[in-house]
Every structure is written in structure tokens, then in C-alpha cells.
Amino acid sequence: MPASLDSCEPTPQRHAFDQPLPLKSGSAMPAYELMVETYGELDATRSNAVLICHALNASHHVAGTYGDDPKTAGWWDNMVGPGKPVDTRRFFVIGINNLGSCFGSTGPMSVDPATGQPWGSRFPVVTVEDWVDAQARVLDRLGIERLAAVMGGSLGGMQALAWAIRHPQRVAHCVAIASAPALSAQNIAFNEVARRAIVTDPDFHGGNYYAHGVVPRQGLSVARMIGHITYLSDDAMARKFGRSLRGDALNYGWDVDFQIESYLRHQGEKFSGYFDANTYLLLTRALDYFDPAAEYGGDLAAALAPTQARFLLASFTTDWRFSPERSREIVRALLANRREVSYAEIASPHGHDAFLMDEPHYHDVVRAYFDRIAQQLPAAAAAAVPTGETR
Amino acid sequence: MPASLDSCEPTPQRHAFDQPLPLKSGSAMPAYELMVETYGELDATRSNAVLICHALNASHHVAGTYGDDPKTAGWWDNMVGPGKPVDTRRFFVIGINNLGSCFGSTGPMSVDPATGQPWGSRFPVVTVEDWVDAQARVLDRLGIERLAAVMGGSLGGMQALAWAIRHPQRVAHCVAIASAPALSAQNIAFNEVARRAIVTDPDFHGGNYYAHGVVPRQGLSVARMIGHITYLSDDAMARKFGRSLRGDALNYGWDVDFQIESYLRHQGEKFSGYFDANTYLLLTRALDYFDPAAEYGGDLAAALAPTQARFLLASFTTDWRFSPERSREIVRALLANRREVSYAEIASPHGHDAFLMDEPHYHDVVRAYFDRIAQQLPAAAAAAVPTGETR
């Protein structure tokens, strides 16, 4: 058994695709590249693959660290790895940076071969369904016909659902955490305000800021601050920051007074230093547009009728971005189709962010579900796990 | 009986004050002016006066219209007027534009006599308590020793509470609608994001944009959009806009797709055309700073101990900006002081905005409360109301 099974040091790989990808908009993405990372080993029957779909601010780098630097840990490193709920000693886990993102895959920062200039605002509007189709091509290349599971949280959960709808025969299990069948008006409203903050920043230059050697940092920073408010619950914010002051007293001026102000400014500044503004626009638009029921006159059960997978849905009690009710809508629509559904509504004070956190009950639920998936794998896969290390 | 009692056409008056106003910050406001409007007639015993305190985007112009133009109706015209819940045939109602606002009272746009330039960002940070003290001077000038009631919604409700605490002998009744004893971390967070949007707009020029002949419209517009999201309930937004498109289909581009986007952009643009950005900063800071319990180690009951008024508190079930629980905190603290408190938790789908709306049950509650106040007025006041018109 190779040492890499336990050390989990990933190597990002760049996959180039020459065949244009037809997009939901009717347009097409010409030749493009996707960054991919994998963890664990594909078993002999190619049946233990798990695709992890990322949300807004994440990438192909799901788990493990680069070198020994803990700061480089993947964005879902507490969930995916040797001995973790999605156990890479059993499963071959795949992370893919979505088309339009800014972590190495082709996106607005990339050069459009047709013009020799960065795509900028001319990058095509991509949808959740487009991402899923692009991911399917990666699986084709890896020789994976059927996923043991597709899994994601938030926008990643929408991709997992789209997988189950679009490629039903390729998905054994679909795991959608803290997700929703479509954004609400309030969700869209927050996205729209964030976008307005970005596009009205004079450094945005209509999306072609690369040519001007600037980035719309202020607008992107405001956008991220808005996002952060919606990721945290009111209670979590009250507990973590309350009305605590940064200094000894109110300053009766325009400097930071409250800890919450300091935290948000810091988050905004940090984010605007590494995230691409055009990508932010694209990802929020993909969120807005996701609405599988729309083609069925709003009938979510009809939209989910093609699915064949088994499902795990999970939500968090204090998540007001994608509340438990949004997950329950999906559960009801799946049950109307007589699908096998497990649903966990997890008591957590951490709001939407809980899906990324190390909540014991939540992780126990996911671990138990993946244990069951592992038990359903062909014997060849199970044999890859040394008995002594099985949890 | 003068015809004006029923026609309710108000005349704004400018009151100049030469005596500096000491501010909570330790600073002082030198000579200043306040815009004042009154409705109805002060009775012979000067006991039927009701002060209405305004929230963020409002002014001294509480009720009535200028000329016959319904577009000029006051901001609380459905609540205040002849035969309305706060009946100006019985009560002498006073509206005052707060110090630092942008509707005629001295504010950041006004010229600082010390420099001959607009105050801009050097306008002193004013607090809810400072406003109350400034309002008290207006009452002194009008010869009103004691208010039959002080009333306000949201930030206006905070002023009503501050009146009851700071000038207990001058307030018979305190009516605080959709208010809170202090902002939560989430409330402050939304204010901070709005402020960041304004101050990072290059047209802000450190608050001295007047000299540059520009206004930070984009930042102010984003700020207002954020505000609007918090004024509406998730449900109200879903009912009013849902995922309705503006056109026939998604445009797969960056134009407006959804009705909610169109609505928010319109609100932002409209607001940024008439509201002063520095005033927005000042008002949100006054909101952040209001926290009467802070001086008592967080003990709201101790902070409310000096009050002598009777109270009406009201909240709205879907208000997530200042939720019913925030009003209940005030009610509990008042009851701990054995104050007489009426509390109405009103079922409404309209979120925080409900306090400005014509909700029958809400208006009935306020009407009944003011009927009771009217019955407690000295006989001289009651005599001013012709019997036939009494409701």
C-alpha cells in the first residue's frame, strides 16, 4: 500500500480540453483548462470515486496540505482525508476548480485565444449545469463512469443536485449540504448588491481592469463583507462579537469602533487581495440562475423525477441564507418521487458557515452515510482498505 | 374653530439656536438651526403635545401635504392627521428634523461659520441623546413643558426611549414602534458595509465632496440597497418579487434579469439623488452608538429606572432588523421597574417596513392608545374637540 494513501499530499493537475463545451446560454466555451486534484486511490472496479463540488470561494484544492504547511490546508480538509468522514483510504476523491473560477481553471483572467486579451467581462455566463457537464468530461478522462457519490455544500450542493438530475445513471449517491433548490428573492438581492458594489467601482473598468493594471478592490471588499454577514447567523455574530469595542471607548469618529467592523473590514480586504472580481460576478450569477424547477413550471418534484441516486440532505438550524426549509423542499420533492432520502437538520449556532465547520454531529452524519456507501462498494474496493485502519 | 384643524396643511418653520449644544462626545454643536413642523393646535393648558421622532430617511415633514400635491405627503401621513390614529384634532403634533440630517436642519452640507466651508466630514458625531436634547430646546421655545406623548419607529423609537430616560418628568407616554434597546452585531455589520460602500466611493473625497461638485452616488446607492434588504422580510420579498423576471427570459449577461434587481437599483438610484452621504454616515453611527444599558454594565432595567412615563411598545412578527424579541427586552426591563407597559406584537408580512405601513391592526392599537391618552388630558384640551367629530 503506497504511503500517499495516508499522507494525503495532493498534486494539482491541469487538464486541457480542446472540444468546445456547449453552454446553457446557447453559447459555447472554446478550448479550456480545468485544475483537478485527487486524493486516495481509484479502486480496480473504478467504483469508489467521490466528486466534491466547491462553492463560491473555493477550488480543486479540497483536502491535504502542500508540503507540511498547515496554512495550505484544503477548504474541506476537516471533511475529506484519511480517517475523516469522507475517508480517502476508502474513496478516490476528486476536486475540480470550476470553469470561470480564478484558481487556475480557465476564467475571466485567462487569455481569450480569439483576441489575445484576457476574457474579462466577455467571459461567457456559465451555469451550474455547465459546470456539471465540464466536470463530467473530467470524469470521462479519469475513466470514471459512475460516481460512488457527488457531494457539495451551498452552491456545491446545487451542483450535486444538478448531477443527479442531468447524469442520473452516473451518480449512486448525492450529498447536498446547506443547499437550496433555487435562490430566494432575498438571496438574489444580496448578490445584486454585491455585484453593484463591484461594477460601480471605478477600477472595474467595465470588467477589463486587467488592462489597466488595477483591480476593483473596494467593490470586491464590500461584496465580501455582505457575503460574510449572510454566512454567519445573527446569534453567532452576537456571541462572537456582540457590541464589543475594539478599543476602550467609542471614538466618536469614523475609525473602527466595534470588533464586528474590524472583522468585516479584514475579511473584505483579505478577499479582495486574491479573488477575481469577474469570477465573483460569474459565480453569483450562476447561483441566481440555478432553478431546476423553472423548466417544469415551478414543479420541483417533476424536475427531480429523472434522478436515480440515493440522497443525503443536511441543513443547519441557524442558516438563514439557505434555511432548513429550503432543504426540506428538496426532501419533499424527492420523496414525491419515492427516492431514498436521508435528511439531517443539524442544531448549530454557526449559520450557513456551519457546512465548512467541524461540527461533531454533522460530521458523524456524513461519516455514517459514507460508511454505508463504502459497504455497498464491490469487494475489490473494500479490499483496498487495510483492515487495521478501518474505523 | 379654524379650518386648518381639518385641512392639516403644514408650514415648515426654521428655528435658530445660538446657544451651543453640548454633545455626548464631549464636543459641542455651536449655533445651529432645526426645521420644525406642527399639526393641530396646542391647547390652553399646553398639555396635548405629541413629539414624533424620525428614523433614517425622514424629516420634520411628518404629515399633510404641501398644496394639494399628494406626492408631498409627510412620511407618517397615514398615522398622523385629522381623524387618524394620532388625531391632530385632539393633539398638537410636532415634527423636528434632527441635527445632522439633510432636510433643512444644520448638517454636514451646512456651512461651518468657523471656516466658511461646508462641515462635511468635520460635522460632529451626534447621538440619539444629543437629538433628544436638541428637541427639548425646541419644546422649550414652543412653551411645552411636558409631552402628552413622544413617539417614533425604529431609530425614532430609540429617541422616544431616550426621552423617557433623559427627561422623565417631561414625558407622559412613550410610544416606541419596531425599535430595539441597542443594535446587534448583525445590525452594526450592515451599517458598516453601507458606510464602507460610501467612504470608498472615489467621489466621497474624504467627506468633502461638496467642494468637488460631486456626490458619492454609487456608494450611497449600494448603501440604500443594503438597507432595503433589511427593511423587507424574506417572505415579503418572496411574495412581491419572488424569482420573477423583468423580461421574458434570462439574458445570460449583466443586465437586470430579476424584478428584485430592478427594484433595488431603482431604490438606490432614487435615494442617492436626494440624500446626503455624510448624513447617512452620521445616522448609522447614531444607531450603532445607542445603547442606554451600556452605562449600567449592560443592565437595561437599570438604564430604564429613571423613566416615569407609561409605555406602548409594538413590534412586527416578520421584522428581522429589529425583531419582536428586541422589543420584548425593553418590555421586560420596564416591567422590572414596575412601569405601566402595553405591548403589541403585530402579525404582519412586511418586515421592518411595517411600522410605516397602513396595517389595520397596528393602527387600531395606536389609535386606542392615543384615545386613552386623550381621555387623560385636562378638560381644557378635550373641550377643543367639537363633540360631533370625536371618534
Side-chain angles (χ1 to χ4, degrees):
Chain A
M1 179 185 176
S4 70
L5 273 188
D6 265 63
S7 69
C8 195
E9 176 164 351
T11 309
Q13 298 180 319
R14 185 179 301 275
H15 287 260
F17 296 84
D18 294 330
Q19 190 74 15
L21 182 75
L23 302 176
K24 202 177 175 193
S25 62
S27 168
M29 189 70 213
Y32 60 94
E33 298 179 332
L34 295 178
M35 295 301 296
V36 178
E37 247 179 53
T38 64
Y39 318 86
E41 297 209 333
L42 190 59
D43 64 30
T45 59
R46 300 174 176 275
S47 56
N48 68 333
V50 175
L51 174 65
I52 303 284
C53 304
H54 69 78
L56 207 134
N57 170 35
S59 71
H60 52 285
H61 181 41
V62 176
T65 59
Y66 299 137
D68 289 332
D69 184 1
K71 285 189 203 146
T72 67
W75 61 271
W76 222 352
D77 190 57
N78 61 20
M79 181 66 85
V80 175
K84 296 184 180 171
V86 181
D87 191 341
T88 52
R89 297 172 311 186
R90 291 166 156 179
F91 294 103
F92 177 64
V93 175
I94 306 154
I96 303 174
N97 188 217
N98 283 330
L99 200 59
S101 183
C102 52
F103 297 109
S105 293
T106 299
M109 292 194 297
S110 310
V111 170
D112 174 5
T115 65
Q117 301 295 319
W119 280 97
S121 58
R122 290 173 307 98
F123 195 88
V125 169
V126 286
T127 64
V128 167
E129 289 80 3
D130 298 331
W131 288 334
V132 164
D133 291 353
Q135 291 159 1
R137 288 186 175 183
V138 175
L139 298 196
D140 293 344
R141 186 163 298 181
L142 297 176
I144 296 162
E145 177 52 35
R146 183 174 160 88
L147 289 165
V150 57
M151 174 177 183
S154 190
L155 176 55
M158 291 174 169
Q159 292 163 61
L161 287 176
W163 259 100
I165 294 170
R166 246 175 132 68
H167 303 287
Q169 74 294 351
R170 298 188 75 170
V171 180
H173 291 267
C174 173
V175 181
I177 316 280
S179 197
L183 294 200
S184 68
Q186 191 187 68
N187 293 147
I188 296 172
F190 278 119
N191 281 348
E192 170 64 4
V193 179
R195 284 191 294 263
R196 293 305 292 170
I198 291 170
V199 305
T200 63
D201 184 326
D203 285 340
F204 183 65
H205 293 290
N208 300 314
Y209 43 88
Y210 316 105
H212 295 78
V214 293
V215 291
R217 285 195 70 148
Q218 303 294 5
L220 194 51
S221 177
V222 166
R224 181 60 165 177
M225 292 169 79
I226 294 168
H228 261 279
I229 298 177
T230 69
Y231 304 151
L232 294 177
S233 71
D234 191 12
D235 273 2
M237 245 188 211
R239 237 188 305 262
K240 191 167 174 184
F241 303 104
R243 297 181 49 86
S244 299
L245 299 179
R246 201 179 175 205
D248 293 333
L250 297 174
N251 66 49
Y252 291 97
W254 303 108
D255 288 340
V256 162
D257 271 305
F258 298 94
Q259 292 286 5
I260 180 66
E261 296 176 293
S262 174
Y263 169 81
L264 285 178
R265 285 197 200 183
H266 174 72
Q267 294 295 333
E269 280 163 22
K270 193 172 71 172
F271 185 72
S272 69
Y274 71 84
F275 205 85
D276 180 57
N278 282 314
T279 289
Y280 201 89
L281 300 181
L282 282 171
L283 298 193
T284 56
R285 216 44 165 166
L287 274 162
D288 289 356
Y289 280 11
F290 182 69
D291 185 9
E295 291 169 43
Y296 299 87
D299 183 347
L300 185 60
L304 291 169
T307 62
Q308 300 174 17
R310 297 175 185 176
F311 290 83
L312 170 63
L313 278 286
S315 67
F316 301 94
T317 48
T318 56
D319 184 352
W320 62 281
R321 181 177 168 85
F322 294 156
S323 71
E325 177 53 24
R326 308 313 308 276
S327 283
R328 278 186 233 123
E329 286 176 44
I330 301 168
V331 170
R332 283 193 295 266
L334 288 169
L335 292 176
N337 285 298
R338 300 182 174 278
R339 294 291 164 275
E340 192 177 308
V341 189
S342 300
Y343 175 54
E345 202 163 297
I346 291 152
S348 160
H350 296 297
H352 191 62
D353 257 1
F355 92 85
L356 291 168
M357 296 174 81
D358 198 353
E359 301 252 7
H361 180 44
Y362 161 44
H363 277 201
D364 286 350
V365 165
V366 175
R367 182 187 298 279
Y369 195 82
F370 275 87
D371 280 351
R372 197 169 62 126
I373 299 176
Q375 286 157 18
Q376 295 163 357
L377 294 177
V385 184
T387 317
E389 291 183 32
T390 309
R391 293 173 63 110
Chain B
M1 182 183 174
S4 70
L5 272 187
D6 265 63
S7 70
C8 195
E9 176 165 350
T11 309
Q13 299 180 317
R14 184 179 300 276
H15 287 261
F17 296 83
D18 294 332
Q19 190 73 14
L21 182 76
L23 301 175
K24 203 177 174 192
S25 62
S27 168
M29 190 69 212
Y32 60 94
E33 298 180 334
L34 295 178
M35 294 302 294
V36 178
E37 246 178 54
T38 65
Y39 318 87
E41 295 209 335
L42 188 60
D43 65 29
T45 59
R46 299 175 177 274
S47 56
N48 68 333
V50 174
L51 175 65
I52 303 284
C53 303
H54 70 78
L56 207 133
N57 170 34
S59 72
H60 52 285
H61 182 41
V62 175
T65 58
Y66 299 138
D68 288 332
D69 183 1
K71 285 189 203 145
T72 66
W75 60 271
W76 221 351
D77 190 58
N78 60 19
M79 180 66 85
V80 174
K84 295 183 181 172
V86 181
D87 191 341
T88 51
R89 297 175 309 187
R90 290 167 158 181
F91 293 104
F92 177 65
V93 175
I94 306 153
I96 303 174
N97 188 218
N98 283 330
L99 200 60
S101 183
C102 52
F103 296 109
S105 294
T106 299
M109 292 194 296
S110 311
V111 170
D112 174 5
T115 64
Q117 300 295 318
W119 279 98
S121 59
R122 291 173 304 99
F123 195 87
V125 169
V126 287
T127 63
V128 167
E129 289 81 3
D130 298 332
W131 288 335
V132 164
D133 291 352
Q135 290 158 2
R137 287 187 176 184
V138 174
L139 298 196
D140 293 344
R141 185 162 297 180
L142 297 176
I144 296 161
E145 176 54 33
R146 183 174 160 89
L147 290 164
V150 58
M151 175 177 183
S154 191
L155 176 56
M158 292 174 169
Q159 293 163 59
L161 287 177
W163 259 101
I165 294 170
R166 246 175 132 67
H167 303 287
Q169 73 294 349
R170 300 189 72 170
V171 180
H173 291 268
C174 172
V175 181
I177 317 281
S179 194
L183 294 200
S184 69
Q186 191 188 66
N187 293 146
I188 297 172
F190 279 119
N191 280 348
E192 170 64 5
V193 179
R195 283 191 294 262
R196 293 306 291 172
I198 291 170
V199 305
T200 63
D201 184 325
D203 285 340
F204 183 66
H205 292 290
N208 300 312
Y209 43 88
Y210 316 103
H212 295 78
V214 293
V215 291
R217 284 196 71 147
Q218 303 293 6
L220 193 52
S221 178
V222 166
R224 181 60 164 178
M225 291 168 79
I226 295 168
H228 261 280
I229 298 177
T230 69
Y231 304 152
L232 294 177
S233 71
D234 192 11
D235 273 3
M237 245 187 209
R239 236 188 304 261
K240 190 167 176 185
F241 304 103
R243 296 181 51 84
S244 299
L245 298 179
R246 199 177 176 207
D248 294 334
L250 296 174
N251 66 49
Y252 291 98
W254 302 109
D255 288 339
V256 162
D257 271 305
F258 298 94
Q259 292 286 6
I260 180 66
E261 297 176 292
S262 175
Y263 169 80
L264 285 178
R265 285 196 200 182
H266 173 70
Q267 294 295 335
E269 280 162 23
K270 195 172 69 172
F271 186 72
S272 69
Y274 71 84
F275 206 85
D276 180 57
N278 282 315
T279 289
Y280 201 88
L281 301 182
L282 281 172
L283 298 193
T284 56
R285 216 43 165 165
L287 275 162
D288 290 355
Y289 279 11
F290 183 68
D291 186 8
E295 290 168 43
Y296 298 87
D299 183 346
L300 184 60
L304 291 169
T307 61
Q308 299 174 17
R310 296 173 185 177
F311 291 83
L312 171 62
L313 278 285
S315 68
F316 301 95
T317 48
T318 56
D319 184 352
W320 62 282
R321 181 177 169 85
F322 294 155
S323 71
E325 176 53 24
R326 308 312 310 276
S327 284
R328 279 187 233 121
E329 287 175 44
I330 301 168
V331 170
R332 284 193 295 266
L334 289 168
L335 292 176
N337 285 298
R338 300 182 175 278
R339 293 291 165 275
E340 193 178 306
V341 188
S342 299
Y343 175 54
E345 201 163 298
I346 291 154
S348 160
H350 297 296
H352 190 61
D353 257 1
F355 92 86
L356 291 169
M357 297 175 81
D358 198 354
E359 302 253 5
H361 180 45
Y362 161 44
H363 277 202
D364 286 349
V365 165
V366 174
R367 182 187 298 279
Y369 195 82
F370 275 87
D371 280 350
R372 197 169 62 125
I373 299 177
Q375 286 157 17
Q376 294 163 359
L377 294 177
V385 184
T387 317
E389 292 183 30
T390 308
R391 294 175 62 113

